[in-house]
Amino acid sequence: MIISNKEYGYIRVSTREQNEDRQLIALREIDIPEQNIFLDKQSGKDFERPQYRRLVKKLKPDDLLYIKSIDRLGRNYAEILEQWRVLTKEKGIDIVVLDMPILDTRRGKDLMGTFLSDIVLQVLSFVAENERSSIRQRQAEGIAAAKAKGVRFGRPLKPLPENYPSVYRRWKAGAITGTAAAEECGMPLSTFRYRAGLYEKNIP
C-alpha cells in the first residue's frame, strides 16, 4: 500500500439537506485531521464549491482523498468523471470512496485494476445521476399533483380587500375595465386578474 503524504476528506451537502454529520463522522472514524477536512454547503443551482477549489489547490502527488460517496464529486455523470480524472491523472492523488471500497485507487495499480476501477466508476456515476434525476422527477410530479388538488406553494396570499366581490362582479359584467377594477382594489392589474382566476375557483 502506498503511504500518502497527507490525508484529506471532502464533504458536500446542499443547503436544503444540512446533514453533513453523517459524512463528518465517517471521516473522523478514519482519523482525518480536522484541518484537512473541507466542507461545502451549496444549493443545487450554486455549485461553485469554494472549499473544494481550496482543497484541490492543496493536493500534491500521492496525497490521499477520502469521500463518503461518489456523488460528492459532482452534480452529474460527466462532472463526476471529469473530477475523478483531474484528481487522479492531473493531480496524481489517490481517492477512497468509503461507501464503495472497490473505488480505492491505492489498489489495483496495474492495467487490469485501473480498467476495472474505471468501469465501476462510470457505472456508479451513471447510477448516481440517474437517481438524482428520478428524485427530481418524483418531486415535480408530487408538486403537480398537489397543485391539481389546490395546494398552493410560496408565500401566502394577502387577504382580498372587502370591496373585491362587488368590484369583481362589476368587472365580470363588463361595467368597468380591468384597470379600473384593479385601481379600486388597490392592486396591479396582473394581480387582480390572477386573484380573479382563483376567486372563480372559490379560492380566497
Side-chain angles (χ1 to χ4, degrees), residues 185-202:
C185 292
M187 60 179 62
L189 177 58
S190 58
T191 302
F192 177 84
R193 288 176 172 167
Y194 173 70
R195 297 302 295 268
L198 297 178
Y199 189 77
E200 290 168 1
K201 297 176 182 178
N202 294 319

Side-chain angles (χ1 to χ4, degrees), residues 9 25 30 60-61 67 70 73 91-92 110 148 152 159 181-182 188 194 198:
I25 290 170
I30 52 177
K60 305 295 182 187
I67 54 176
I70 190 63
L73 286 182
K91 302 296 292 188
D110 60 4
R152 295 198 298 271
Y194 173 70
L198 297 178

Side-chain angles (χ1 to χ4, degrees), residues 10 38 40 48-57 65 72-73 83-84 86-87:
Y10 178 66
F38 292 76
D40 277 314
E48 295 180 355
R49 299 192 295 172
Q51 292 302 310
Y52 181 74
R53 293 202 305 272
R54 281 189 59 219
L55 167 63
V56 172
K57 287 181 180 179
L65 174 63
R72 300 304 89 189
L73 286 182
Q83 291 306 311
W84 188 275
V86 168
L87 294 171

Side-chain angles (χ1 to χ4, degrees), residues 51-204:
Q51 292 302 310
Y52 181 74
R53 293 202 305 272
R54 281 189 59 219
L55 167 63
V56 172
K57 287 181 180 179
K58 278 181 168 289
L59 293 171
K60 305 295 182 187
D62 293 331
D63 282 348
L64 177 58
L65 174 63
Y66 287 91
I67 54 176
K68 186 74 170 69
S69 57
I70 190 63
D71 59 358
R72 300 304 89 189
L73 286 182
R75 290 172 296 185
N76 53 51
Y77 174 73
E79 196 166 56
I80 292 170
L81 292 178
E82 173 61 15
Q83 291 306 311
W84 188 275
R85 184 194 65 78
V86 168
L87 294 171
T88 60
K89 302 296 193 296
E90 294 184 10
K91 302 296 292 188
I93 71 161
D94 280 308
I95 305 176
V96 175
V97 180
L98 297 174
D99 283 352
M100 185 58 61
I102 195 172
L103 288 179
D104 181 342
T105 60
R106 298 170 301 176
R107 303 174 181 175
K109 291 286 188 178
D110 60 4
L111 181 61
M112 181 57 68
T114 301
F115 175 69
L116 291 175
S117 179
D118 285 346
I119 289 177
V120 173
L121 172 65
Q122 292 192 42
V123 171
L124 291 178
S125 299
F126 174 78
V127 169
E129 180 182 2
N130 190 59
E131 177 61 21
R132 282 192 295 272
S133 297
S134 297
I135 291 172
R136 286 195 297 269
Q137 182 178 348
R138 289 196 295 269
Q139 288 174 337
E141 290 172 351
I143 291 171
K147 286 182 176 179
K149 293 179 179 178
V151 176
R152 295 198 298 271
F153 296 87
R155 291 179 298 178
L157 294 172
K158 293 181 179 179
L160 289 171
E162 292 183 3
N163 66 337
Y164 190 88
S166 61
V167 173
Y168 168 82
R169 288 193 294 270
R170 288 161 53 212
W171 169 72
K172 199 68 175 177
I176 56 175
T177 65
T179 300
E183 287 180 357
E184 286 191 38
C185 292
M187 60 179 62
L189 177 58
S190 58
T191 302
F192 177 84
R193 288 176 172 167
Y194 173 70
R195 297 302 295 268
L198 297 178
Y199 189 77
E200 290 168 1
K201 297 176 182 178
N202 294 319
I203 300 176

